[in-house]
Structures are given as C-alpha cells and as structure tokens.
Amino acid sequence: DTAVSQTPKYLVTQMGNDKSIKCEQNLGHDTMYWYKQDSKKFLKIMFSYNNKELIINETVPNRFSPKSPDKAHLNLHINSLELGDSAVYFCASSQGTVTDTQYFGPGTRLTVL
Amino acid sequence: SQQGEEDPQALSIQEGENATMNCSYKTSINNLQWYRQNSGRGLVHLILIRSNEREKHSGRLRVTLDTSKKSSSLLITASRAADTASYFCATDAIGGGADGLTFGKGTHLIIQP
C-alpha cells in the first residue's frame, strides 16, 4: 500500500520537450507539495497545494505548472525543458499545513539531454 | 539564505557507536523535523520537535532543540548498518508562508560494519 506514489521513476528527454510527472497520495491528506533535489542533494520546495489554493515559490520558473485534478493528485507539468531542470523531483503530502509531518514519494529522476 | 544547515556534511563511524548530527537555523521556528533519505529513495520522517520542547526520544533517536542558539541535534544510539543514509533537518519559519519547510543540505552518515 504505497502512501505517496510518483510516475515515472526515471525520465530522460531532450531539451525543449514538454513532460509531466504524476503524483498520487492515498493518505487522505489535504496538502500536497513538489520539491526539487539537485545534484548536491539540496532539497527546495517548488509548490504547495491545499484545498485548491496554490502557493508558488517565487524562484520557480513559470515553465513549471502544477495541476491538481482532485485532492489526491498533484501532477507537475514542465514546458520547454532545459538542461538545468535535470534533478530528482519529489512529491509529498501532509494532513494539514506545511508544519505537519510530510510523507514523500520515491522521487522521479529527470535527465534533460 | 538557507534556513537549515547540517553539520557535519559527512560522518563515518563503526557499527555500534553513537552518531550525532547537528542542525543550525537562522529564523524563529514553529517546529523542527528530522528526515532520513536512503540512497535513491524519498525522504522518511523521523521525528518532529516543537519550539516549546527541548528534547524528544523515539526508539534509538534522541533530538534536542535549543531555540536560544537556533540549533538542534540528532543522536542515533547503537548505530546499525541500516542507519546508513542522509539525514536532513527541516524547519518551518514562523510566518514563512509560501516558504514551506526549508531543508538543509544533509549529513551523509556511513555505518561501517
């Protein structure tokens, strides 16, 4: 019973392409997140989404857009991929606000060639 | 500036020994959390300590928090090979809003059998 799942696990694509990463949580949580972990393992929040309220980290390029069809899903769509987008992307969820314990998915390793 | 900073960046000890990792942060917080990340996996929540708590235990884990020094420590007693992982502290700044949880760069712990 996977709590937070992501697909795909690996994604290799060419510069300029558009791609999506899917995330689903079966914990009944109200808030979902996307994080980016770079090659030095630095983890940075990109978005948090709670009851249709989207909070965006201002440093995230507008080529990145989260899409939430329902409370259990928060997908990440990336337009016009760049080399610098290569990283591991983690989805997470929590019961309430960001102060709560967060449950992470297994990550999606994105490689842009 | 980055909120959480772990120290040391890497730590290698013998199985059975105790491992201590430290985290420093810059702003006032509501709580501080510790997470573990095994290689190639997502983060797993270990323990949460609130700003009005000074010490917390969970199994072989002991966390302390000193809000006057803006620092926390994670002690793993009687280490095992399975404890080999990266450990991250995460803080939520009071009034942080869209910043969400801010993670440090982590301490990579290696337990030598």
Side-chain angles (χ1 to χ4, degrees), chain B residues 12-19 78-81 109-113:
Chain B
S12 180
I13 61 173
Q14 293 295 123
E15 195 168 16
E17 293 181 339
N18 295 340
S79 62
R80 304 168 182 169
L109 175 65
I110 298 172
I111 308 299
Q112 307 274 10

Side-chain angles (χ1 to χ4, degrees), chain B residues 2 4-5 7-8 12 21 28 30 32 34 38 50 67 75:
Chain B
Q2 185 171 322
E5 295 274 357
D7 166 54
S12 180
M21 289 158 273
S28 296
N30 291 304
L32 184 145
W34 284 92
N38 291 89
R50 303 194 186 282
T67 53
L75 168 68

Side-chain angles (χ1 to χ4, degrees), chain A residues 28-100:
Chain A
H29 286 169
D30 291 328
T31 307
M32 296 184 72
Y33 314 85
W34 277 104
Y35 287 88
K36 178 181 180 181
Q37 187 174 44
D38 63 24
S39 57
K40 296 184 179 179
K41 289 202 166 185
F42 181 47
L43 198 68
K44 189 167 185 179
I45 191 165
M46 301 175 71
F47 306 99
S48 68
Y49 195 87
N50 179 307
N51 290 330
K52 300 187 187 301
E53 181 189 9
L54 175 65
I55 301 175
I56 302 171
N57 186 316
E58 62 186 12
T59 67
V60 175
N62 58 15
R63 297 182 295 103
F64 291 78
S65 57
K67 298 186 191 305
S68 180
D70 54 57
K71 198 174 92 163
H73 297 84
L74 184 65
N75 303 324
L76 181 64
H77 191 75
I78 315 169
N79 289 327
S80 303
L81 279 156
E82 300 178 356
L83 292 176
D85 297 334
S86 295
V88 181
Y89 292 84
F90 288 98
C91 176
S93 71
S94 67
Q95 179 60 51
T97 69
V98 296
T99 58
D100 292 339

Side-chain angles (χ1 to χ4, degrees), chain B residues 8 15 17-18 22-23 27 32 36 42 63 69 80 83 102:
Chain B
E15 195 168 16
E17 293 181 339
N18 295 340
N22 302 299
C23 169
T27 63
L32 184 145
R36 183 187 75 229
V63 168
K69 294 181 179 178
R80 304 168 182 169
D83 295 329
T102 301

Side-chain angles (χ1 to χ4, degrees), chain A residues 37 41 45 55 90 99 101-102, chain B residues 31 35 37 45 86 92 98:
Chain A
Q37 187 174 44
K41 289 202 166 185
I45 191 165
I55 301 175
F90 288 98
T99 58
T101 296
Q102 296 190 14
Chain B
N31 66 50
Y35 287 79
Q37 184 179 32
H45 180 260
S86 291
D92 69 308

